[in-house]
Amino acid sequence: MADDSSPLEAAFAKIRTQTNSGVPAVRRPATLLLAIENTLTSQQSTSADADAAAQLPPQAYLVALLSTLSQLTTTAAASQAGEKRELLEATLYLLSLLTPHLDPSLLRSKAAVLSTLQALFPSFQTHAPALKSLIAIAQALLASLAPQQLEKDLAARSVFASILALTNDARPKVRRRAQEAITALLSAPPPPAVVHPYGAETASWILDKLEEAVKGAKRGGKKQEVVEQKKGKGKGEKEKPAIVIAGEENQGSDESRAIALLVFIKNLGNAWNDASTPQLLPTLLSTLTLSSPHLTLSALTLLSHLFSAAREADSISANSVKETLEALIAAKPKGGEGENSEKLTAGWIEGVGEGMVAFARTEPTGALAQTSVLFPSVLPILASATTPVLRQAVATSLDLMIRHTITDAEIIAALDLERPTAAKGKDKSAATSPDVPGSALVALIDLVDKALTSPRYAANSLPHVLGLAKSLFFRLRLRPSSSSSTRPLPAATSLLGKTLVLVGKMREDERFEWKREAEGVLDAAIKVSGPEWVLSTMPLGLEEGANPTRARAWLLPLLKPSITNTRLGHFREYFVPLSAEMFAKAEKARAGDKGMEAKVWETLVGQIWSLLPGYCEYPTDLVAAFDNSFVSLLGTVLYSQASLRPSIFRSLSTILASATSLASSASPPELLQAQFGLTPAEGKVALAHLKAMAPSILGVAFNVYGMLPRGEGAYVLTTVADWFAVLEPKEVQETYGRMETLLKQALAEPYVKPGQKGHGAPVEKDDTIPTTHSLLDILIALIPYAGPVEKQFFDLALSSSVLGSQDQAVQKKGYRILARLAEERNGKVVEGRIGDVVDALVENASVVAQGAKRDRTLLLSTLVPLLPADSLHHIPSLIPEAVLGTKESNERTREAAYELIVGMGRKMGEGGEIHRNKVKGMEDGMEDVAKATLEEFITMVSAGLAGSSPHMISATITSLSRLVFEFHAELPRETLSELLTTLIIFLSSANREIVRSAIGYVKVAIVSLPGSLVEPSLPALIPALINWSHEHSNHFKVKIRHILERLVRKFGIDKIEREVPEDDRKLVQNIRKRQMRSKKKKEANQAAEEDAEMDDGEAAPRPQAATRSAYDEVLYGSDSDISASDDDDRGAAASAPKTANRKSMMRKKKQEEGAYLHEDEDEVLDLLDDRMMSRISAARPAPAAAARKPLASHFKTDETGRMKIAEDESDEDVGTTAEAMGAYLEAMRGEDGHTRDAKGRAKFNKTQGKRSRADEDEEDVPVTEGLKELEVSGKRNKKFKKDSVRVGGDFKAKNAGGDVHKGGMQPYAFVPLSSVAGKKKNQRTDANITGHKRSGKGGNNKAQRK
């Protein structure tokens, strides 16, 4: 294939690996594919290229496979079992993979193949794999045909009919594949047709088969042979060839066939012929009376789908919708117990809900009347439902009725009913009459309110009832028209006040289970009706004198995300005084040393001010509420309350963005007035009002930013940038003038290190941002709007006081300002003087701080593309700095240096002239003019190879590597070859830094350059690389091996081995073996993963490696299929089964998931305990540990059960103890014994014989009651530790400070130096770890205190 990564080549590559499969049906396609590729390759070329098969075009495969198909079909292979039939199946399988990837025009020219397929369908009627292959081939061919061919070609119609017949097949896989093919064909009609030519006939066939299956299901599944032939006739036209379905059998039960056809119609979606829907509806309704719940449920699901589609298009007429809905409502399933019965009821309810939406679209009044009848009958089902499916279906259906069947006229009429009846002069009882407008909505709301308080809905049904209340709030957001200037309130404020109170009481109960659903209702109420009405209905109760037990502080977090498009004056009138009152309480509590209480009041103050951004989002009274007094109040809070600053600055940004968006809106004013109560004209007035207040707001923001700690003022700068945008040019100049003056004064002060007095860091607040930093940050925010002062601004940043400052942060910000100004307005600020700017930057290179190098490099990358074609003589003066930047320790600085080098290369590649006498340092040279090219730039960079320091040479080689990687396709072959030959010489350098860079260049060259360019250099390259293959420092050995692996893959093992010295041939042989092992392991893993995919149906997701640039991937990535060591190979091989079985492990883990109840053996399980929920866990309980024996079990008892404690132990007990002690010592120190280290790992006794012989000579240690220490003596000079055993040691404190003596506590137990002084080799140390002498040969037998 032309593209090795194409899906077709990937499929063929997967098949080629199955030549050795043990399954004949899998092996035959692989064998046939290889045979075809060998034949085509031998015909195409005589060269033995291993990748020849990958270069074969798809057309060649098609011709070869069709030729094979033609030969096999002429020999009647399909009708006879044998090798030819098996070969025919393999041919069809390969064609099914190939045809979907071919060009439609090519397939259209092969339409004659349809005649062959027409004869093959009956032959393979009982062979499912071959049928699926035939369906795929036929789908690709039919999709390529034009409308005229589809209508007139008998073979095409016959093949389509064969596929259509298989959509009703009893085999699930065949049926699904056929349905997918028909759906794909009908969904994509051939242009210029809008509807597929076979669409109407397909729908007619499906309806006939569905009606036949439904009738069979009514008869109890009795089969009835039907032979039918459909003919298409037209008046005055020739008789069209009909779709004739031959060999069709009544397979499977009538019920299952009907269900399959119903699912098929649903999956067709928009491809279904809408004209056939009226004929389909009676058949669907007839299934509702059957005793088959599965068939009825499928019909109800399809009805819901059809009603849902009718909402978007007029696929069903109004009469059909009404009649169908009435029939569906009348066919309500009989209530029964069990999951199947509730599923059927859920399907009926879903169909009714979707039908009501479609009915409301055609007849709104009739739908409302029907809702008033259906809602009271469907809602009780929610209380009696026992399965989540039925509860969700009821909630969804009722939600659809609320949102789609309640009309605006009904809402306004309900508002009239809720007004005082005395003013209307009507009888109150008239509101309950169903004929009165608005009564249906009032009754519906009353039903929901009763359900909220009814015990019948108190369990799992209550969250769904709360969802209905939420839907009511959103539906009643309608605001009735009013003649007054004030904005009318939503209808929900008049109709849902009781509902809000009921939900609020539920939420207040700490034991209420569905708090999240209740908060959803409150959220909807706040969004629809506004916080002012909600708080008037449900006061916070935090005011002075309010009952603290009725406080609703939990409402504050709910208000924050829901407030929008409301009165800003409400915040000033209600929340500002409340916050002041709470702040006073916090101060009082703090004065009384009540820190916790003060913290609570401060938290409430913060929650109150966090509501301000919502009030500032499209406020309806911006001009009146956001006045000078309010701005002054905000400024006072900003200065005094640091914790409230983020909320206030976010509010300032929000109110400005809202006014700007409204003023520039292109929506109709009437629409904006209806939705937001605002118009674009009002937005323009508000924006002008805010512009007038911008200078004072910015002044406050500047001062506050200077008071903030370092790194915490990003939100202030965001607000400052937003308000800069609305300043007039004159105001921008005035603001910049003041900022410039302050900055120059701050820079004039002497700089000292942070922590000392000076402009760098004040003594009073070491964490406060310095003045110079804050001023520069504010000026950076001004850059996008600095058009009137950009040149003055640029000169300030370019001055030596900024770029030459000793404060590296000032330098960084200065370079950042220059780069941003140069990017704005296409570099207009440096137009005509870019050369002077570059010269000034080059002169400042010696004073650049380390932390400012990255920003300086980014500035140079911005300026280089702006250089005119006649000013390229500035580039040579920038090359040394850019080259050395590639060796910086900071990664981001290195990346910027690489981009600068590449940018200079691109600029040189664009052309131009370089005046050599204008190059800095060459002013006295000849007036020579060189043409700017990539080769010239490579020559300039290569001059660094003659540098005096290894660091410069290494940086030059690294830069050349990046340039070759970027421009290897544009550079001449001679230049690339010369570079490679030159840099191979550096591999013989004695400096490892230079060699490391040279190895990187070689790696880039091997990957990027063509093999014909690298191959001539192999005789010099390979020996130079081999010389470093034994060097382990800098990972040279691994890098050389990876390079050799690349060379082997690119040129073959023989060419590489020929150039390797005789003494190092083993390295190449090792690479060959490792490649073979890696190939086998890869094939094994691939096969295992394929098996896992076949078992699980879907491949498990693999972890993705961290992304990096393509150059870094080439330079630092190994790209090797071979692991770094043999140990890695073994480790990878050991982990292969784990990788292959990822899906199995995940499936096993999923099976183990569940809920477990943790309980104690000694505790009675109480399911009514409030703490029982905390004992439910998703983790499997750990097995119970063996219970510790009670203390009484260690003592003997008499006949009465009382304990017997002997005063003295008998000799038998002592003997038993000594025997047990000996067994323990034998287990620890014997020949077969082992010990454990600090990590718990077993360590076996290696000196088995020696230790055994030494232990035989040791004296026995008597175990007595008064033993104070354990003395062990031996004849061999062997060291070992032995702690003294003292009486009462079991009761010693674990964290004691030291040994206790008469004179006090000694801090440590140590060995005095006098006991080990003068120690010689092979001399026994008499002092043990306890400070006592050991008894042994030549020593004192009695321990003495040192």
Side-chain angles (χ1 to χ4, degrees):
M1 303 299 164
D3 185 7
D4 293 347
S5 60
S6 65
L8 177 59
E9 176 56 27
F12 278 177
K14 189 175 181 180
I15 292 176
R16 295 188 191 103
T17 61
Q18 303 298 332
T19 52
N20 297 325
S21 175
V23 182
V26 178
R27 184 176 62 251
R28 280 191 292 269
T31 306
L32 177 60
L33 178 62
L34 292 179
I36 291 175
E37 289 177 345
N38 292 335
T39 303
L40 294 175
T41 304
S42 61
Q43 294 176 356
Q44 184 181 25
S45 174
T46 58
S47 63
D49 187 4
D51 297 332
Q55 304 299 326
L56 293 174
Q59 297 85 342
Y61 286 99
L62 179 64
V63 172
L65 289 173
L66 290 181
S67 176
T68 306
L69 179 65
S70 177
Q71 294 176 9
L72 293 174
T73 52
T74 55
T75 58
S79 59
Q80 301 175 0
E83 294 183 0
K84 291 187 177 180
R85 181 182 174 90
E86 295 173 351
L87 182 60
L88 178 58
E89 294 173 3
T91 305
L92 292 175
Y93 178 70
L94 293 178
L95 277 173
S96 67
L97 297 178
L98 175 65
T99 50
H101 303 283
L102 297 177
D103 187 73
S105 59
L106 176 61
L107 291 175
R108 196 178 302 118
S109 63
K110 305 295 182 181
V113 181
L114 289 171
S115 302
T116 304
L117 300 181
Q118 179 183 1
L120 291 178
F121 270 100
S123 302
F124 289 103
Q125 193 69 27
T126 59
H127 191 62
L131 275 180
K132 292 192 289 184
S133 300
L134 286 170
I135 292 172
I137 301 170
Q139 177 185 346
L141 289 170
L142 291 173
S144 66
L145 299 181
Q148 297 80 6
Q149 291 177 287
L150 291 173
E151 293 179 357
K152 298 180 180 179
D153 194 339
L154 289 175
R157 299 180 69 86
S158 177
V159 169
F160 184 86
S162 299
I163 301 176
L164 187 60
L166 294 175
T167 59
N168 200 24
D169 195 89
R171 293 164 290 187
K173 292 184 179 180
V174 175
R175 180 175 66 242
R176 183 172 62 251
R177 185 65 187 89
Q179 291 181 0
E180 291 174 355
I182 296 296
T183 303
L185 289 172
L186 297 183
S187 301
V194 179
V195 181
H196 200 279
Y198 296 161
E201 298 178 19
T202 300
S204 178
W205 181 87
I206 294 175
L207 289 175
D208 292 342
K209 292 301 173 183
L210 178 61
E211 185 177 357
E212 176 187 338
V214 171
K215 289 181 179 179
K218 289 182 179 180
R219 293 191 302 268
K222 296 180 180 179
K223 297 183 179 180
Q224 177 182 2
E225 296 183 0
V226 179
V227 180
E228 192 173 285
Q229 180 173 343
K230 296 280 299 175
K231 295 184 179 181
K233 296 181 180 180
K235 189 174 181 180
E237 297 178 357
K238 292 184 178 180
E239 192 174 280
K240 292 183 180 180
I243 295 181
V244 181
I245 302 174
E248 191 177 302
E249 299 178 359
N250 189 5
Q251 301 176 347
S253 65
D254 294 309
E255 180 182 354
S256 61
R257 291 193 302 123
I259 292 174
L261 289 172
L262 291 174
V263 174
F264 182 30
I265 296 174
K266 181 182 177 183
N267 293 337
L268 282 174
N270 296 330
W272 171 255
N273 186 22
D274 293 336
S276 303
T277 301
Q279 303 175 20
L280 173 64
L281 294 177
T283 305
L284 295 179
L285 294 175
S286 65
T287 62
L288 303 181
T289 59
L290 297 179
S291 59
S292 173
H294 299 290
L295 179 57
T296 304
L297 183 59
S298 299
L300 290 172
T301 304
L302 181 57
L303 266 177
S304 301
H305 172 73
L306 293 175
F307 281 138
S308 178
R311 282 187 273 163
E312 302 176 0
D314 296 329
S315 57
I316 307 178
S317 63
N319 292 332
S320 298
V321 170
K322 182 177 180 181
E323 295 173 359
T324 304
L325 181 61
E326 291 176 352
L328 179 61
I329 294 174
K332 179 180 179 180
K334 297 180 180 180
E337 297 181 357
E339 185 177 356
N340 292 333
S341 177
E342 292 207 348
K343 283 185 178 179
L344 186 60
T345 305
W348 176 80
I349 291 175
E350 288 178 356
V352 170
E354 295 290 351
M356 288 296 297
V357 176
F359 189 29
R361 186 172 177 272
T362 55
E363 295 186 26
T365 306
L368 178 61
Q370 191 68 52
T371 298
S372 63
V373 177
L374 277 176
F375 203 94
S377 62
V378 175
L379 183 60
I381 300 177
L382 188 62
S384 59
T386 59
T387 59
V389 176
L390 181 55
R391 287 194 293 268
Q392 185 61 42
V394 173
T396 303
S397 179
L398 296 179
D399 178 71
L400 291 175
M401 294 182 193
I402 291 173
R403 290 190 291 114
H404 294 278
T405 62
I406 298 177
T407 61
D408 293 347
E410 181 70 11
I411 296 175
I412 295 175
L415 289 175
D416 294 336
L417 289 178
E418 288 297 313
R419 291 169 184 166
T421 55
K424 301 292 295 183
K426 294 182 179 180
D427 187 8
K428 188 175 181 179
S429 61
T432 60
S433 175
D435 298 331
V436 176
S439 59
L441 177 57
V442 173
L444 190 149
I445 295 173
D446 186 57
L447 284 173
V448 174
D449 290 344
K450 290 180 179 179
L452 288 173
T453 57
S454 174
R456 297 177 57 193
Y457 300 91
N460 294 325
S461 302
L462 188 55
H464 301 288
V465 179
L466 291 171
L468 297 180
K470 180 179 178 180
S471 300
L472 280 174
F473 271 104
F474 282 121
R475 181 62 190 94
L476 298 182
R477 68 191 319 160
L478 176 69
R479 298 176 184 266
S481 58
S482 176
S483 58
S484 62
S485 58
T486 59
R487 189 184 185 193
L489 294 175
T493 58
S494 300
L495 299 176
L496 297 178
K498 181 181 178 182
T499 306
L500 179 64
V501 172
L502 291 175
V503 176
K505 290 182 178 179
M506 292 179 181
R507 175 59 182 81
E508 291 174 5
D509 189 356
E510 295 181 357
R511 297 170 298 177
F512 185 61
E513 184 179 1
W514 311 105
K515 290 184 178 180
R516 180 176 298 180
E517 287 73 13
E519 290 174 357
V521 179
L522 298 175
D523 176 78
I526 297 168
K527 289 179 178 177
V528 171
S529 304
E532 187 172 358
W533 175 77
V534 173
L535 292 176
S536 64
T537 307
M538 297 174 54
L540 288 175
L542 300 174
E543 301 84 358
E544 186 69 30
N547 186 0
T549 60
R550 304 297 301 274
R552 298 186 179 92
W554 50 266
L555 262 179
L556 291 174
L558 294 180
L559 290 168
K560 180 180 177 181
S562 307
I563 297 177
T564 182
N565 190 216
T566 187
R567 278 196 330 114
L568 179 59
H570 178 253
F571 184 86
R572 295 186 60 180
E573 299 164 2
Y574 183 81
F575 283 110
V576 171
L578 182 62
S579 66
E581 185 178 331
M582 291 182 181
F583 182 75
K585 290 181 179 180
E587 292 295 326
K588 182 179 179 181
R590 188 177 293 106
D593 293 335
K594 299 179 180 179
M596 184 61 66
E597 182 181 347
K599 187 64 178 177
V600 170
W601 293 116
E602 289 176 355
T603 302
L604 291 174
V605 172
Q607 290 180 345
I608 288 176
W609 281 93
S610 66
L611 305 179
L612 183 57
Y615 278 96
C616 291
E617 186 175 359
Y618 297 103
T620 56
D621 57 345
L622 188 150
V623 177
F626 197 80
D627 54 7
N628 290 326
S629 61
F630 187 63
V631 172
S632 300
L633 171 65
L634 295 181
T636 303
V637 176
L638 286 173
Y639 286 131
S640 59
Q641 300 295 321
S643 60
L644 305 181
R645 289 168 183 167
S647 298
I648 296 177
F649 277 108
R650 187 163 58 251
S651 304
L652 293 174
S653 297
T654 302
I655 197 170
L656 182 62
S658 300
T660 304
S661 175
L662 182 63
S664 60
S665 176
S667 301
E670 299 81 9
L671 179 62
L672 293 176
Q673 179 66 38
Q675 291 184 352
F676 302 100
L678 299 169
T679 60
E682 294 176 355
K684 294 178 181 178
V685 173
L687 184 60
H689 176 71
L690 294 177
K691 286 183 178 180
M693 308 180 72
S696 59
I697 292 176
L698 286 174
V700 173
F702 295 165
N703 296 333
V704 171
Y705 184 71
M707 300 165 55
L708 294 176
R710 299 171 183 264
E712 296 185 7
Y715 60 90
V716 180
L717 295 177
T718 302
T719 303
V720 167
D722 294 337
W723 284 84
F724 271 146
V726 298
L727 290 179
E728 298 295 337
K730 183 179 179 181
E731 294 175 341
V732 171
Q733 293 177 357
E734 295 175 354
T735 302
Y736 172 78
R738 292 194 298 270
M739 300 295 295
E740 182 182 12
T741 303
L742 294 174
L743 179 61
K744 289 182 178 179
Q745 293 175 359
L747 290 173
E749 298 179 6
Y751 172 76
V752 289
K753 294 182 179 180
Q756 302 178 13
K757 191 174 181 180
H759 81 282
V763 174
E764 293 80 4
K765 291 186 178 181
D766 291 339
D767 59 339
T768 304
I769 183 172
T771 305
T772 51
H773 297 182
S774 62
L775 292 173
L776 288 171
D777 288 338
I778 294 173
L779 288 174
I780 290 175
L782 178 65
I783 289 175
Y785 320 103
V789 294
E790 60 179 356
K791 292 187 177 180
Q792 184 180 356
F793 194 1
F794 193 88
D795 293 338
L796 173 64
L798 192 63
S799 63
S800 60
S801 60
V802 176
L803 298 186
S805 174
Q806 298 180 11
D807 188 353
Q808 66 174 1
V810 172
Q811 290 191 19
K812 289 176 62 176
K813 297 178 188 299
Y815 284 118
R816 199 169 298 168
I817 290 173
L818 293 173
R820 292 279 302 277
L821 287 173
E823 290 174 354
E824 294 289 336
R825 292 169 286 278
N826 298 323
K828 184 179 179 181
V829 68
V830 295
E831 187 176 348
R833 58 169 185 160
I834 189 170
D836 299 335
V837 173
V838 174
D839 291 339
L841 291 174
V842 173
E843 292 177 359
N844 286 333
S846 58
V847 296
V848 178
Q850 184 68 26
K853 287 186 177 181
R854 173 179 174 269
D855 294 283
R856 175 183 170 88
T857 306
L858 292 175
L859 170 61
L860 296 176
S861 300
T862 304
L863 295 176
V864 165
L866 302 177
L867 287 171
D870 57 350
S871 300
L872 299 182
H873 56 275
H874 295 286
I875 289 181
S877 59
L878 301 178
I879 290 178
E881 183 176 356
V883 169
L884 290 174
T886 61
K887 302 291 288 185
E888 287 290 334
S889 58
N890 185 276
E891 181 182 1
R892 301 174 68 181
T893 305
R894 293 197 305 271
E895 291 295 331
Y898 283 133
E899 292 301 321
L900 175 57
I901 291 175
V902 172
M904 290 189 290
R906 290 198 184 99
K907 188 63 182 179
M908 292 285 288
E910 294 174 0
E913 295 181 349
I914 301 176
H915 299 271
R916 298 185 187 275
N917 61 333
K918 294 183 180 180
V919 177
K920 193 174 185 63
M922 300 177 60
E923 292 83 356
D924 299 334
M926 298 178 58
E927 296 185 2
D928 188 13
V929 178
K931 188 177 181 181
T933 60
L934 268 176
E935 299 92 301
E936 181 67 19
F937 182 67
I938 293 291
T939 303
M940 294 178 182
V941 176
S942 301
L945 296 175
S948 57
S949 65
H951 188 73
M952 183 63 187
I953 298 174
S954 174
T956 302
I957 297 175
T958 304
S959 303
L960 290 173
S961 303
R962 185 68 175 88
L963 290 172
V964 169
F965 175 79
E966 189 72 26
F967 302 110
H968 65 272
E970 305 173 27
L971 291 171
R973 293 176 60 91
E974 295 78 10
T975 303
L976 295 173
S977 178
E978 184 179 353
L979 273 176
L980 180 60
T981 305
T982 303
L983 293 178
I984 289 176
I985 300 175
F986 287 93
L987 287 173
S988 60
S989 173
N991 187 278
R992 285 177 171 79
E993 184 180 7
I994 296 177
V995 173
R996 183 179 181 181
S997 299
I999 291 175
Y1001 180 88
V1002 169
K1003 195 172 184 180
V1004 172
I1006 293 173
V1007 173
S1008 304
L1009 303 184
S1012 58
L1013 197 149
V1014 179
E1015 188 173 1
S1017 302
L1018 291 180
L1021 174 61
I1022 294 177
L1025 291 174
I1026 293 294
N1027 289 336
W1028 292 97
S1029 63
H1030 306 288
E1031 183 68 38
H1032 291 273
S1033 62
N1034 294 314
H1035 305 284
F1036 280 170
K1037 182 177 181 180
V1038 177
K1039 292 179 180 179
I1040 297 301
R1041 192 178 67 217
H1042 287 164
I1043 292 177
L1044 291 177
E1045 290 172 8
R1046 290 177 182 272
L1047 291 172
V1048 167
R1049 290 199 300 270
K1050 192 162 190 173
F1051 300 105
I1053 191 71
D1054 297 333
K1055 292 183 180 180
I1056 303 304
E1057 192 173 11
R1058 190 184 308 127
E1059 307 298 339
V1060 175
E1062 187 67 27
D1063 296 339
D1064 296 298
R1065 294 282 175 88
K1066 291 182 179 180
L1067 177 60
V1068 181
Q1069 295 174 3
N1070 177 261
I1071 291 175
R1072 186 204 303 267
K1073 293 178 181 179
R1074 293 161 69 90
Q1075 284 182 337
M1076 295 298 295
R1077 288 199 302 267
S1078 176
K1079 183 178 180 181
K1080 292 179 180 179
K1081 182 176 62 179
K1082 190 175 181 180
E1083 292 176 354
N1085 292 341
Q1086 184 177 2
E1089 290 179 1
E1090 291 174 359
D1091 294 340
E1093 291 178 12
M1094 294 177 64
D1095 293 340
D1096 302 308
E1098 183 180 357
R1102 297 183 178 181
Q1104 299 293 328
T1107 57
R1108 53 184 175 184
S1109 66
Y1111 175 71
D1112 288 342
E1113 188 66 32
V1114 171
L1115 188 61
Y1116 303 115
S1118 65
D1119 194 25
S1120 173
D1121 295 333
I1122 306 174
S1123 58
S1125 64
D1126 294 335
D1127 294 338
D1128 295 340
D1129 289 341
R1130 289 191 292 270
S1135 63
K1138 298 180 182 179
T1139 305
N1141 296 330
R1142 282 196 311 270
K1143 293 293 289 185
S1144 301
M1145 293 173 62
M1146 293 295 294
R1147 184 170 59 249
K1148 181 179 180 181
K1149 181 178 179 181
K1150 186 176 181 180
Q1151 291 174 355
E1152 293 179 354
E1153 290 179 354
Y1156 300 94
L1157 188 62
H1158 295 256
E1159 56 179 331
D1160 297 332
E1161 295 182 358
D1162 300 334
E1163 185 178 352
V1164 179
L1165 182 62
D1166 185 6
L1167 294 177
L1168 299 179
D1169 189 356
D1170 294 337
R1171 298 170 297 174
M1172 185 53 61
M1173 291 300 296
S1174 63
R1175 300 190 180 189
I1176 300 176
S1177 173
R1180 183 185 296 275
R1188 179 177 297 180
K1189 294 182 180 180
L1191 183 62
S1193 63
H1194 297 281
F1195 298 92
K1196 296 179 181 180
T1197 58
D1198 58 9
E1199 294 80 1
T1200 63
R1202 287 182 289 186
M1203 293 185 296
K1204 293 169 55 180
I1205 302 176
E1207 295 183 1
D1208 297 327
E1209 295 181 351
S1210 61
D1211 296 339
E1212 182 182 357
D1213 294 337
V1214 174
T1216 304
T1217 305
E1219 183 180 353
M1221 188 69 177
Y1224 170 74
L1225 292 175
E1226 177 65 22
M1228 293 296 295
R1229 294 156 47 195
E1231 292 188 15
D1232 299 328
H1234 68 277
T1235 58
R1236 293 187 179 273
D1237 57 10
K1239 296 183 179 180
R1241 295 175 296 190
K1243 183 176 180 182
F1244 292 92
N1245 297 334
K1246 298 182 179 179
T1247 58
Q1248 296 174 353
K1250 297 180 180 179
R1251 176 172 294 181
S1252 177
R1253 290 191 297 271
D1255 293 341
E1256 291 176 358
D1257 297 335
E1258 292 180 355
E1259 299 178 358
D1260 294 337
V1261 181
V1263 181
T1264 61
E1265 182 180 358
L1267 187 61
K1268 294 184 178 179
E1269 56 185 352
L1270 182 63
E1271 295 183 2
V1272 181
S1273 62
K1275 296 181 180 181
R1276 300 182 60 86
N1277 184 16
K1278 185 175 181 63
K1279 298 180 181 179
F1280 64 94
K1281 284 186 178 181
K1282 204 65 179 179
D1283 294 336
S1284 297
V1285 180
R1286 302 180 184 275
V1287 176
D1290 296 338
F1291 307 98
K1292 181 182 178 181
K1294 303 300 181 182
N1295 298 320
D1299 295 337
V1300 179
H1301 295 276
K1302 293 181 178 179
M1305 187 188 312
Q1306 186 176 353
Y1308 303 102
F1310 59 92
V1311 180
L1313 293 178
S1314 60
S1315 63
V1316 295
K1319 178 177 165 184
K1320 298 181 180 179
K1321 186 176 181 181
N1322 297 328
Q1323 180 179 351
R1324 182 174 179 84
T1325 302
D1326 292 336
N1328 61 10
I1329 196 67
T1330 63
H1332 302 86
K1333 280 191 175 180
R1334 291 176 186 251
S1335 60
K1337 184 178 181 180
N1340 192 353
N1341 292 332
K1342 295 183 179 181
Q1344 298 179 1
R1345 180 74 60 182
K1346 294 290 182 181

